[in-house]
Amino acid sequence: TLAFAPLAKDSGLVVFTPSGTNSAVTMDGTVVNPWAFRACFIDPFQGLVLANFASNDLAAKNAVVMVNSGSEYSKELARIFTEQFTANGGTVLETASYADADTDYKASLTSIASKEFEVLFVADYAKNAGLIIGQARSTAGLETVNIIGPDGFEDPALNDLAGGAQNVSNVFFSTHFSTLSNDQQVADFVKSHGAFTLEKYGKAEVPSALSALAYDAAYMLFKAIDNADSTDPAAIRDALEALEAFDGVTGDISFDEFHNAVKPAFLIELNNGAPVNATIVNP
C-alpha cells in the first residue's frame, strides 16, 4: 500500500486498504494523500492501546520489549508502546532486538529472565512471535509471564509455531475484530462467512480480522458510491471523506483528517491457544 498510494494519487484513483496499519499509508509526505483511505486503525493506536492495557488491566510496572530490527511495523509499535508505557509511569527495563531471519531467541530470553517484570511485549508477526512465545515458555522464569503483542499475532499458525497450544496462555494481542462479540451483525457475518466457505471450499471457516476488515472496506465503498450517486473517482473520494459512523462488523467507523479509521480495538486473551475473552477499547 505504501508503494501503491502515490501511484493512485498520480492517476486520480481511490486506494482503500482494509489492513494497511502503517501510519504513512494515507500520507503524502507531511500532508494527507487525498486519494488514500484505510478501514483499520493505525499502528500508533495499537501501541497506545497495548501500553494502556499493560498498565491498567495487567497492573504492570515493568516491561521488556522485543523488536524485529528489520521491520518498520515492529519498530513503530515498539516505539509507541515504550513511549506510552513510560508516560503511564511504567519502566521498560530492556529492548531486545533481533533480525527478521532469526529463529533462536534463547540467549535474549535467558538474559531477560533475570529481570523482574510483569509484561513481555513482542512487537511482531506470528512468524517470529510464535517462536518467541514457545521458547519463552521453556525458559526458567518466563513460563507464565504475560506476553502481549499486536494484530500480527492473529494467525492460525501461532500455536504450532509456539510448540503447541499448551504454550499459548497468558498471551494477549490487539486486533480489529472478534467473533466473541455479542453484536447480532457480527453473528450474522460469522454465519454467512461459514456458509460461503463451506460451499466454496468444502470447510466452514471462522472469519479472521482480515476477512472482516475486507468486508467492511467493500461495504464502505458501496456506501460511498451510493451516497455520491456516481462512479466518478473524485465523487467517491469526497463521499468516503464525508462518511461518518459507518456500522461495520469491526465497529462504528469514521475517518479522521488523515483518512485513518476512527474505531475501537479488541484486546484478545488466549488460554491454551484459544480466545477466551475480548475487551473492547474505544479510541
Side-chain angles (χ1 to χ4, degrees):
T1 310
L2 284 167
F4 185 78
L7 303 178
K9 180 193 171 198
D10 292 343
S11 302
L13 295 172
V14 171
V15 56
F16 191 0
T17 174
S19 54
T21 55
N22 187 290
S23 57
V25 159
T26 62
M27 300 300 290
D28 179 18
T30 59
V31 299
V32 68
N33 181 339
W35 296 92
F37 298 81
R38 73 176 103 222
C40 54
F41 51 67
I42 61 176
D43 288 335
F45 178 58
Q46 283 199 87
L48 184 148
V49 163
L50 287 161
N52 288 341
F53 180 77
S55 299
N56 301 330
D57 294 76
L58 300 179
K61 300 298 183 186
N62 296 303
V64 169
V65 173
M66 293 190 69
V67 58
N68 182 338
S69 60
S71 166
E72 291 302 318
Y73 169 80
S74 181
K75 289 187 287 186
E76 184 172 41
L77 282 165
R79 177 180 62 81
I80 297 294
F81 176 90
T82 299
E83 289 175 357
Q84 185 61 38
F85 188 73
T86 302
N88 291 345
T91 302
V92 173
L93 300 178
E94 182 177 339
T95 299
S97 296
Y98 56 88
D100 187 58
D102 287 352
T103 58
D104 186 347
Y105 308 93
K106 291 295 285 186
S108 291
L109 290 168
T110 300
S111 173
I112 288 167
S114 65
K115 303 179 184 301
E116 295 288 336
F117 63 98
E118 298 84 23
V119 162
L120 174 61
F121 178 48
V122 182
D124 211 344
Y125 292 100
K127 177 176 75 76
N128 299 100
L131 297 175
I132 291 170
I133 292 168
Q135 291 173 33
R137 294 312 187 216
S138 62
T139 300
L142 301 180
E143 297 93 340
T144 60
V145 69
N146 294 313
I147 299 176
I148 64 175
D151 57 348
F153 275 34
E154 187 169 5
D155 187 318
L158 182 72
N159 289 347
D160 288 341
L161 288 164
Q166 72 279 2
N167 289 332
V168 190
S169 294
N170 294 338
V171 173
F172 307 83
F173 66 93
S174 57
T175 189
H176 310 260
F177 169 78
S178 173
T179 58
L180 297 177
S181 169
N182 294 321
D183 186 272
Q184 186 59 49
Q185 184 178 201
V186 172
D188 292 343
F189 170 64
V190 171
K191 182 179 178 180
S192 61
H193 184 280
F196 172 79
T197 53
L198 178 63
E199 179 181 352
K200 187 79 173 177
Y201 306 111
K203 183 180 179 182
E205 298 283 356
V206 176
S208 69
L210 295 178
S211 300
L213 287 168
Y215 180 86
D216 277 352
Y219 276 93
M220 291 172 79
L221 279 171
F222 298 158
K223 180 67 172 174
I225 292 168
D226 286 345
N227 289 351
D229 194 24
S230 172
T231 55
D232 175 69
I236 296 169
R237 176 202 63 198
D238 293 345
L240 266 178
E241 202 164 52
L243 197 62
E244 291 186 358
F246 176 84
D247 184 19
V249 296
T250 63
D252 287 346
I253 308 168
S254 299
F255 294 112
D256 66 14
E257 66 271 28
F258 302 109
H259 296 177
N260 298 322
V262 179
K263 61 190 299 185
F266 293 84
L267 261 295
I268 307 298
E269 177 183 358
L270 298 176
N271 184 38
N272 287 321
V276 294
N277 188 43
T279 302
I280 297 174
V281 182
N282 288 300

